[in-house]
Amino acid sequence: MTESQANTPATRDTDWIEAIAFDADGLVPAIAQDAETGRVLMFAWMNREAVAKTVGLGEAVYFSRSRGKLWHKGEQSGNTQQVREIRLDCDGDVLLLSIEQAGGIACHTGRESCFYRRLENGEWQVTDEVKKSPEAIYGNG
Amino acid sequence: MTESQANTPATRDTDWIEAIAFDADGLVPAIAQDAETGRVLMFAWMNREAVAKTVGLGEAVYFSRSRGKLWHKGEQSGNTQQVREIRLDCDGDVLLLSIEQAGGIACHTGRESCFYRRLENGEWQVTDEVKKSPEAIYGNG
């Protein structure tokens, strides 16, 4: 058996990641949805490595475009995201994660969801309270 | 009263759209979620005009990147999306639409949701049935 043949199973193990159509920057959008309530908590990006790490760890790992590096969600705040399920859309270019949100806070503002503003009569109204201040979360206070 | 002053109220009416951080291509990601079930049905993009039309019509209008033009969802299939609510995320660069999906089909494959594949044991498994064939939807049969 050649080394190439020996590696075939390992190669097959990553076939699923080949099905993902990363964009020109090597990124794919990822939507995180609360597994219990169905609420959409956040939206971020993943590169190939982030996707692999997310599946390997069972916790969401994104790629921070602003910092240009992997971002294990909750590594600083403790608000990690246990991944229950990952879905891929019809075009293979968007991921949907069903997650359990540690601490009940997904947003860096200290709110449950990043989508805390609703359009009402031509204005963005804040609908969610801050559950924990960013200072308390990140220790910058 | 100058013309500029006369236009002030109209300008104010669009302040909410100014709060949206469109990307370098003038686009913002939009997630469409079923208002009743909470299921995420699809993900697409909007430009400024699409956002304005969506709010004006009360139906989702996206920007098709492949066709390079506005795309009033359901204009061909009849599977329009009545918009119940629009939310904006913390960074102002992602929209979340709560919608009522006409026909119960959001995906061009004839499925309820575009996210019809789930990662199971290293493979993308199709979890949703085709409710209506694309030929029947688009009349290409």
Side-chain angles (χ1 to χ4, degrees), chain A residues 19-21 88-94, chain B residues 43 107-109 114 116-117:
Chain A
I20 302 171
L88 183 63
D89 81 340
C90 49
D91 296 326
D93 60 2
V94 184
Chain B
F43 171 95
C107 185
H108 74 288
T109 65
C114 294
Y116 60 80
R117 289 182 288 181

Side-chain angles (χ1 to χ4, degrees), chain B residues 11 31 34 51 56 59 71 116 133 135 138:
Chain B
T11 306
I31 303 160
D34 188 288
V51 173
E59 291 189 0
W71 160 40
Y116 60 80
S133 74
E135 291 75 15
Y138 300 103

Side-chain angles (χ1 to χ4, degrees), chain A residues 13-92:
Chain A
D13 283 351
T14 59
D15 274 0
W16 64 272
I17 215 168
E18 305 300 335
I20 302 171
F22 293 93
D23 70 12
D25 296 321
L27 301 175
V28 63
I31 302 160
Q33 184 176 29
D34 188 287
E36 291 304 322
T37 67
R39 184 165 190 193
V40 175
L41 300 182
M42 58 176 281
F43 170 95
W45 296 84
M46 291 186 179
N47 62 3
R48 188 188 169 95
E49 191 183 356
V51 173
K53 280 193 187 288
T54 294
V55 171
L57 281 175
E59 290 188 1
V61 177
Y62 301 102
F63 181 81
S64 167
R65 295 186 302 171
S66 59
R67 286 173 284 169
K69 63 175 187 178
L70 289 185
W71 160 41
H72 180 181
K73 170 71 182 170
E75 62 191 347
Q76 201 182 344
S77 64
N79 297 332
T80 52
Q81 299 180 330
Q82 293 283 329
V83 178
R84 281 225 206 139
E85 184 181 279
I86 301 182
R87 288 179 172 270
L88 183 63
D89 81 340
C90 49
D91 296 326

Side-chain angles (χ1 to χ4, degrees), chain A residues 76-131:
Chain A
Q76 201 182 344
S77 64
N79 297 332
T80 52
Q81 299 180 330
Q82 293 283 329
V83 178
R84 281 225 206 139
E85 184 181 279
I86 301 182
R87 288 179 172 270
L88 183 63
D89 81 340
C90 49
D91 296 326
D93 60 2
V94 184
L95 295 173
L96 175 64
L97 279 63
S98 179
I99 61 139
E100 290 173 56
Q101 178 62 61
I105 297 174
C107 185
H108 75 287
T109 64
R111 294 178 175 90
E112 179 192 11
S113 167
C114 295
F115 296 92
Y116 60 81
R117 289 182 286 180
R118 183 168 59 201
L119 189 61
E120 292 175 13
N121 302 317
E123 290 186 2
W124 295 109
Q125 298 289 348
V126 173
T127 60
D128 286 46
E129 62 179 2
V130 172
K131 296 171 80 171

